[in-house]
Amino acid sequence: MKQLISLIFIFHFSNSSSAQGELNIMTFNIRLNVDSDSLNAWPYRKDKVASQVLFYKADVLGVQEALPGQMTDLRKALTGYSYVGVGREDGMNEGEYSAIFYNKTRLTLLNNSTFWLSETPLKPGKKGWDAACARIITWAELKDKRTGKIFFVFNTHFDHIGQVARKKSAGMLLQAVDSIAGKQPALITGDFNAHPQDEPMQIITNVNDKRHLTDTKAVSRTPHYGPSGTFNAFKAMEQSGEPIDYIFFNRGVEVLSHATISESWMGRFASDHFAVLAKVKL
């Protein structure tokens, strides 16, 4: 009987301990606020975006295309979160953010910064190579209050036009994760504007490069849930069978589950991209 009780205790403790270490990581291109989107414009979607983040209990959320007004709305709606990030046009509050929101009751911010995907990464607003827009990477060093473990998050949005820019950005991302995170675990969220077989993604996941990153979807313990494509263009369904939004990691991460979140409200989506969610354990 004592042995049975001991086994039950050990099983319960190990399960509780395991659950304590789980983190929900989300990436979400929320689509910038433009009046031409009509009923799909931000004022009609902001509650849907916030509700998905809260329902799926994201501990870390990387957003793309968030304009200053949208950041204000998200800060108000996501009351349990803090964020890091700057506007890409001036390094302050102008232009789109690639911000990182984090659950402030669970995580402590240790360090953060933003740099530009260009030949002059510390120059705000600088376009790189053949890019149509200034592009950035925002990163944060976080500590899990439950486990004491430290990890890094990088969030980005690659250019939608410049093929050279996407290729160069992939190389810059690998170098940044390697030099900033070092041997610590890192999770990388973003809209990469590229499919898995495209050159930027091949650079990022090239196992012959010791700095390579792994797609959480590819190594999820449970099968991927939801559509494979992540861009819906506010249409009836995803526009491709392949993703352009990803969550990657470098090392020291176990992926428990992976999903593309495709709910709709009377046929309307929260964004023209689906959120992607990975449950991980460091």
Side-chain angles (χ1 to χ4, degrees), residues 156-183:
T156 191
H157 186 185
F158 283 8
D159 199 67
H160 63 303
I161 297 294
Q163 294 185 18
V164 175
R166 287 195 293 273
K167 177 181 176 180
K168 294 289 188 179
S169 295
M172 282 190 72
L173 173 64
L174 290 181
Q175 182 58 39
V177 173
D178 184 59
S179 61
I180 295 170
K183 294 183 179 180

Side-chain angles (χ1 to χ4, degrees), residues 5-21:
I5 292 172
S6 296
L7 286 172
I8 292 171
F9 174 79
I10 291 169
F11 179 77
H12 174 74
F13 178 80
S14 62
N15 279 355
S16 299
S17 177
S18 176
Q20 276 193 336

Side-chain angles (χ1 to χ4, degrees), residues 90-108:
D90 64 353
M92 292 183 286
N93 197 44
E94 183 180 342
E96 297 177 15
Y97 286 62
S98 290
I100 298 169
F101 286 83
Y102 60 94
N103 178 352
K104 61 186 179 183
T105 63
R106 171 77 185 270
L107 303 169
T108 299

Side-chain angles (χ1 to χ4, degrees), residues 20-72:
Q20 276 193 336
E22 294 175 359
L23 290 163
N24 293 324
I25 312 298
M26 179 180 283
T27 187
F28 204 169
N29 182 326
I30 65 170
R31 171 66 175 172
L32 75 167
N33 183 19
V34 287
D35 292 340
S36 59
D37 280 345
S38 186
L39 292 178
N40 289 316
W42 176 250
Y44 304 102
R45 300 186 290 106
K46 60 183 181 180
D47 292 341
K48 298 177 177 63
V49 168
S51 69
Q52 285 192 334
V53 176
L54 295 172
F55 180 80
Y56 288 101
K57 299 179 181 179
D59 294 298
V60 174
L61 165 68
V63 296
Q64 302 87 40
E65 291 196 24
L67 292 173
Q70 292 173 289
M71 289 295 297
T72 298

Side-chain angles (χ1 to χ4, degrees), residues 137 169-179 203-206 209 211-213:
I137 293 178
S169 295
M172 282 190 72
L173 173 64
L174 290 181
Q175 182 58 39
V177 173
D178 184 59
S179 61
I203 291 172
I204 288 172
T205 60
N206 178 14
D209 187 335
R211 306 168 303 170
H212 77 276
L213 305 176

Side-chain angles (χ1 to χ4, degrees), residues 214-233:
T214 302
D215 186 355
T216 54
K217 179 182 178 182
V219 295
S220 175
R221 181 190 292 178
T222 57
H224 167 76
Y225 175 78
S228 295
T230 61
F231 179 65
N232 62 64

